[in-house]
Amino acid sequence: MTGSKRVFIKSYGCQMNVYDAERMGEALAAEGYQATDTMEDADLILLNTCHIREKAAEKVYSELGRIRQLKDARAGAGSSLSVGVAGCVAQAEGEEIVRRAPTVDFVVGPQAYHRLPDLVRRAAVRPGAVDIDFPTEDKFDALPSRTKPGVISRGPTAFLTVQEGCDKFCAFCVVPYTRGAEVSRPVEAIVREARELAAAGVREVTLLGQNVNAYHGEGPDGRTWDLARLLYRLAEIEGLARLRYTTSHPLDMTDSLIDAHRDLDALMPYLHLPVQAGSDRILAAMNRRHEADAYVRLIERIRAARPDIALSGDFIVGFPGESDADFEDTMRLVETVGYASAYSFKYSTRPGTPAAGRGDQVPEAVKSERLQRLQALLNTQADAFNRSMVGRRFDVLLERAGRKPGQLTGRSPYLQPVHVDAAAGAIGDLVEVAVTEVAGHSLFAEPIGKREPADRRLAAGGVA
């Protein structure tokens, strides 16, 4: 390719999709495509889709309708525009997307995007190509180095996928059907990618997986490593100051992982550990395979190991068969645990999942009322947690320019946005601050001395 072509990637949904979009961009950049933030400027438009929420596919078709107008206008002006659909809707819908939306030139599933450059070339000759196979080869080995010149510019934070797929088969979830069975990447491959990121200036890495704490990858010693052992290894890499991981399942929160939270300064004191409901009856119907009390006792063990840890969770209200009493159990669990932040949703049917065919669906008005009550409680807890930060001292990783001139914005160890005066440091620096004010979900702070510059990572050659 000539290098003059531009690609626009629109990504929906979870952090895994953000990572996938970045890797797709890197694969296309290696073929000469340049990224653009404007759809109208693109020669290739790629929709990286999510299938978790209700009517996800219809939203994609609606977006494709708007893109068709742009493609028709481009054709009328004598130029071309290629359109692709990737991600979980692509995996679920497959050739149906091409049938319903002829403007689409190709469809690629989340396990096949390493073949994206070849698919783009094939579609240019014969539109309608579909690749949603689950290949036997490791797609990550086929992708370009993350430090290849010109591939992508980086900020100080990055996602890194270590595990994909899920074997839990929760009754409401499509992930096992769109992402496949649990697969863990080898330790050495993950360490190599983390080193590349550190060499490119990344200081914080978030490990991703649909069920990340079930990680069980092959180690360099030939044995199976769990997530805790992987975290200890990544903490040794020069330049990586912070580690996070998401999303977890309570069943896979092992003693060794709890110990890692106790032992590793680099592992941030923030844990996203979804429970979904507080009723044992509903948890059983969801096929969560744990009870509410077991979850609460797990939280107690985690907090005993790391007292300053902040908890985040996911909740679904209105799951089929949920009674008023079941919902009150959820409210009690939230009150017992106390969350720094949380995501809550009304149950929505996902075609093909066990819960979709149940006849005891909860009326929409009831779901809405329950969600409102739950979110009010969660917001109260989040506000209280944020207010408790005033007067606290901790390091902030400066990530970007703030919304106001002369301001930089970073993240606290607990993922809150923190705004400081730009004189505090440079993007990529770790700066110790004291929190002075809370406004909404954001913190305002003043630097109090210690600063670890971004270029300190180069002191030992950039990697370990």
Side-chain angles (χ1 to χ4, degrees):
M1 293 186 182
T2 65
S4 61
K5 291 190 175 183
R6 286 171 289 190
V7 57
F8 173 85
I9 303 177
K10 182 173 182 177
S11 195
Y12 307 78
C14 66
Q15 295 99 326
M16 184 79 80
N17 264 19
V18 175
Y19 174 88
D20 287 350
E22 188 171 285
R23 300 308 318 259
M24 286 188 280
E26 290 167 356
L28 291 167
E31 296 290 315
Y33 276 88
Q34 297 177 351
T36 177
D37 294 327
T38 307
M39 184 182 294
E40 287 74 17
D41 293 338
D43 300 285
L44 169 62
I45 295 174
L46 190 58
L47 302 183
N48 187 31
T49 61
C50 176
H51 207 268
I52 293 298
R53 300 260 63 83
E54 186 177 15
K55 300 180 180 177
E58 293 308 315
K59 292 178 181 177
V60 172
Y61 290 119
S62 178
E63 183 74 17
L64 288 171
R66 291 188 287 271
I67 292 172
R68 182 189 63 192
Q69 298 176 19
L70 178 61
K71 188 172 184 177
D72 290 345
R74 190 77 62 84
S79 61
S80 62
L81 172 64
S82 296
V83 179
V85 177
C88 290
V89 172
Q91 187 69 42
E93 298 281 316
E95 294 182 358
E96 177 69 7
I97 294 175
V98 176
R99 188 190 68 80
R100 286 187 57 181
T103 193
V104 173
D105 297 292
F106 64 89
V107 174
V108 58
Q111 303 305 326
Y113 64 72
H114 59 299
R115 297 197 288 255
L116 182 57
D118 179 63
L119 195 60
V120 171
R121 287 190 289 267
R122 285 164 48 199
V125 177
R126 187 176 179 181
V130 176
D131 189 345
I132 54 173
D133 290 340
F134 285 84
T136 56
E137 74 269 18
D138 187 344
K139 68 181 178 186
F140 298 100
D141 289 344
L143 293 167
S145 165
R146 305 196 79 179
T147 55
K148 185 173 181 179
V151 166
I152 197 163
S153 60
R154 300 207 168 279
T157 65
F159 293 126
L160 198 171
T161 291
V162 301
Q163 179 269 348
E164 288 192 281
C166 186
D167 294 342
K168 294 295 188 290
F169 287 92
C170 296
F172 52 80
C173 186
V174 297
V175 165
Y177 311 102
T178 58
R179 290 278 183 171
E182 286 181 1
V183 177
S184 296
R185 296 177 65 189
V187 170
E188 288 185 318
I190 295 167
V191 171
R192 181 171 61 251
E193 187 171 335
R195 284 173 170 169
E196 291 176 351
L197 292 169
V202 170
R203 309 209 66 193
E204 175 181 298
V205 166
T206 300
L207 308 183
L208 298 180
Q210 270 80 35
N211 191 22
V212 69
N213 59 341
Y215 174 83
H216 53 280
E218 181 183 358
D221 56 1
R223 298 182 178 181
T224 298
W225 286 30
D226 64 5
L227 182 64
R229 192 172 180 187
L230 174 64
L231 286 164
Y232 282 102
R233 175 64 188 94
L234 294 175
E236 297 172 356
I237 296 177
E238 182 71 25
L240 289 186
R242 288 179 160 190
L243 297 171
R244 304 182 188 272
Y245 63 90
T246 194
T247 291
S248 301
H249 194 288
L251 287 180
D252 297 305
M253 198 72 201
T254 61
D255 290 342
S256 61
L257 189 52
I258 295 173
D259 290 345
H261 278 281
R262 179 195 64 201
D263 297 340
L264 290 176
D265 291 337
L267 183 54
M268 292 294 95
Y270 178 90
L271 176 62
H272 185 65
L273 191 61
V275 63
Q276 307 298 356
S279 160
D280 288 343
R281 192 176 72 85
I282 295 302
L283 288 170
M286 288 178 167
N287 195 36
R288 292 290 290 174
R289 292 189 280 171
H290 63 80
E291 295 183 340
D293 183 64
Y295 177 86
V296 171
R297 285 186 280 110
L298 175 61
I299 297 300
E300 291 172 350
R301 290 170 50 216
I302 294 168
R303 283 179 165 153
R306 186 70 187 260
D308 65 333
I309 201 163
L311 271 297
S312 173
D314 288 348
F315 295 90
I316 295 173
V317 302
F319 187 81
E322 183 187 68
S323 67
D324 289 341
D326 293 324
F327 175 70
E328 294 303 330
D329 286 342
T330 296
M331 295 290 282
R332 276 190 291 273
L333 182 142
V334 172
E335 290 170 347
T336 298
V337 172
Y339 290 90
S341 64
Y343 303 92
S344 52
F345 310 93
K346 292 186 289 186
Y347 169 76
S348 60
T349 57
R350 309 309 307 129
T353 60
R358 289 186 51 162
D360 51 353
Q361 302 291 326
V362 176
E364 194 67 24
V366 174
K367 288 193 286 188
S368 297
E369 189 273 334
R370 289 175 183 170
L371 182 64
Q372 186 176 15
R373 283 187 57 202
L374 175 61
Q375 289 182 338
L377 175 58
L378 292 169
N379 288 338
T380 297
Q381 292 185 346
D383 289 344
F385 179 78
N386 287 336
R387 288 195 303 272
S388 75
M389 295 291 106
V390 175
R392 289 279 303 275
R393 297 183 174 194
F394 45 64
D395 289 345
V396 168
L397 176 60
L398 301 179
E399 296 183 18
R400 54 184 170 83
R403 293 182 179 179
K404 297 180 179 179
Q407 185 184 78
L408 289 176
T409 297
R411 293 278 177 176
S412 77
Y414 310 106
L415 271 183
Q416 301 131 309
V418 182
H419 307 292
V420 299
D421 189 277
I427 291 173
D429 288 353
L430 273 168
V431 179
E432 186 179 13
V433 303
V435 178
T436 58
E437 183 183 352
V438 178
H441 298 293
S442 296
L443 309 179
F444 291 83
E446 295 178 351
I448 55 175
K450 186 185 75 172
R451 175 187 167 202
E452 185 182 328
D455 57 5
R456 181 170 294 183
R457 67 186 172 82
L458 301 176
V463 295

